[in-house]
Amino acid sequence: MQAYNKSELENYFLAEEAKKLYQKKFLSKEQLQIIFAQLVQLKSNANIFFRIGFFFLGSFLISTIISAFGLILFPLISEDFEFIFFFYAIVAYIGLEVLVRMKFFRHGLDDAFVLTSQISFSIGIGILTEAILPVLITMLVLGVFFAIRFINTISALMAFIGLVGIFFNLIVEHDVMPKFYLSFVGLILTILVYFFVVQLSKNQNYYPYFKTFDTIRIASLLLGYLSMNYLVVRELSQSLMNLEITNKSDVPLAFVFYGLTFLIPLLYFFLGIKWKDKLVLYTGLATLVFGFYSIRHYYYFFPIEYVMVISGILLFGLAYLFIQQLKNKTEGITFQPDRDSDDSLLFNAQAILSLANATTPAPTQTNPMEFGGGGFSGGGVGEKF
């Protein structure tokens, strides 16, 4: 079902691994150049800024094409505007297939055509059905299709948003269950999606999708935390359940959400260390910061300067604890410097210090023209005239 040639994909990911080995000092620059010369490369952009730039260029290109067709189609269609969006989606998809034949992969141009095709088709479904649920189902189906066929991470995220939106819509709009259970449904959905993606990532045949799996893992971890975060639960309760929260009242099971606002980030911390997974560890750090903000948003226990000092002390304590746990490890998450870190400044400083502390003998100057003994240099001062 993949749109790309299997051998070309293998060459691309082999080149990516070679770059990582070069950054970690396992390969020399000459060896990296030899590897690149032997591999047929797809047209891609590893630099995120170049990729964003080409995305805007691709968006301008597809908008130009759509505008040209719009000048012809708008006079012909008076009411059924949804078919125009379906037509735009088809045009964008055809353009995407052409870019694939031209070996564009994670380049930026192809991303613009992927998004245009998905969004146009979803808009057409929304106009045709005048309902949100069909649009969310379309986002899920098209997102999975584009993510599998074109190995596109943005499409996978749209599929994840569509899946979450379906459950949210069924509970809020169609009253499948009481709205109070919305948070717990989000947590259960997080667990199911996360471990499903983890199981998929264990299969090495799915190596082209590993970055996509990592993105979905992060999104699911964030969903699980936000589902239990006190600020999110309180705001949704006020807007969806019309609860009036005062100083003497709170959301149902408030103590659970208070606790999970900080327990889930700590759980992410320890699971990230146990599983040697940096993504889980960094997600725990981000959610912990948001947890402090969530409580601070409603309760002002201390002035801001006290909060900053206390937070600094807590972070210092956590950092010291983790350093003590990780300083003797040599693999996974460690306190050792990464091999791919830029140590050139450190090496230069070490070289300068070595030169400064080195004891070298003072140079002795010798004159090639020796005096005395007669001859030319002696100027006749010898036993011979």
Side-chain angles (χ1 to χ4, degrees), residues 241-297:
M241 301 171 62
N242 297 321
L243 290 179
E244 294 184 2
I245 300 174
T246 62
N247 295 330
K248 297 182 180 180
S249 63
D250 211 333
V251 297
L253 297 177
F255 66 95
V256 174
F257 300 113
Y258 279 124
L260 293 179
T261 298
F262 293 101
L263 289 178
I264 291 179
L266 294 177
L267 178 65
Y268 288 170
F269 265 116
F270 289 108
L271 289 180
I273 295 174
K274 182 179 179 180
W275 296 340
K276 301 175 182 179
D277 194 327
K278 290 184 179 180
L279 292 179
V280 180
L281 185 64
Y282 295 157
T283 306
L285 177 61
T287 52
L288 182 62
V289 173
F290 188 72
F292 282 114
Y293 168 77
S294 300
I295 302 301
R296 174 72 182 174
H297 183 75

Side-chain angles (χ1 to χ4, degrees), residues 60-77 81 83-95 113 116:
F60 176 75
L61 177 62
I62 189 64
S63 64
T64 303
I65 297 173
I66 288 175
S67 299
F69 281 108
L71 292 175
I72 302 173
L73 294 177
F74 272 119
L76 300 178
I77 300 177
F81 291 104
F83 295 107
I84 295 181
F85 288 99
F86 292 140
F87 180 76
Y88 289 163
I90 294 172
V91 171
Y93 182 81
I94 294 173
F113 282 78
T116 302

Side-chain angles (χ1 to χ4, degrees), residues 119-306:
I119 293 174
S120 297
F121 199 88
S122 299
I123 292 174
I125 292 293
I127 298 174
L128 183 64
T129 61
E130 297 182 355
I132 299 297
L133 186 59
V135 176
L136 296 171
I137 296 174
T138 303
M139 289 176 60
L140 174 61
V141 174
L142 289 182
V144 171
F145 172 76
F146 278 84
I148 294 175
R149 180 164 178 78
F150 301 104
I151 316 176
N152 191 274
T153 303
I154 302 176
S155 298
L157 276 177
M158 292 186 66
F160 181 77
I161 294 172
L163 177 64
V164 175
I166 289 172
F167 284 92
F168 186 88
N169 184 265
L170 288 175
I171 295 173
V172 174
E173 299 293 337
H174 299 276
D175 297 325
V176 174
M177 63 177 62
K179 297 180 179 67
F180 172 75
Y181 297 107
L182 183 61
S183 297
F184 300 98
V185 171
L187 182 61
I188 295 172
L189 188 63
T190 292
I191 297 173
L192 294 177
V193 172
Y194 182 86
F195 286 103
F196 175 71
V197 172
V198 168
Q199 290 299 319
L200 290 179
S201 61
K202 291 180 180 179
N203 190 337
Q204 294 299 318
N205 293 326
Y206 298 147
Y207 66 90
Y209 303 98
F210 281 173
K211 285 187 177 180
T212 302
F213 291 158
D214 288 341
T215 304
I216 298 301
R217 284 200 301 129
I218 294 174
S220 61
L221 290 173
L222 292 176
L223 172 66
Y225 175 72
L226 294 177
S227 299
M228 294 288 112
N229 179 268
Y230 176 77
L231 184 148
V232 176
V233 172
R234 178 168 171 170
E235 294 298 324
L236 287 179
S237 299
Q238 288 179 321
S239 60
L240 299 179
M241 301 171 62
N242 297 321
L243 290 179
E244 294 184 2
I245 300 174
T246 62
N247 295 330
K248 297 182 180 180
S249 63
D250 211 333
V251 297
L253 297 177
F255 66 95
V256 174
F257 300 113
Y258 279 124
L260 293 179
T261 298
F262 293 101
L263 289 178
I264 291 179
L266 294 177
L267 178 65
Y268 288 170
F269 265 116
F270 289 108
L271 289 180
I273 295 174
K274 182 179 179 180
W275 296 340
K276 301 175 182 179
D277 194 327
K278 290 184 179 180
L279 292 179
V280 180
L281 185 64
Y282 295 157
T283 306
L285 177 61
T287 52
L288 182 62
V289 173
F290 188 72
F292 282 114
Y293 168 77
S294 300
I295 302 301
R296 174 72 182 174
H297 183 75
Y298 296 108
Y299 303 102
Y300 296 89
F301 298 105
F302 304 105
I304 186 64
E305 56 270 18
Y306 291 173

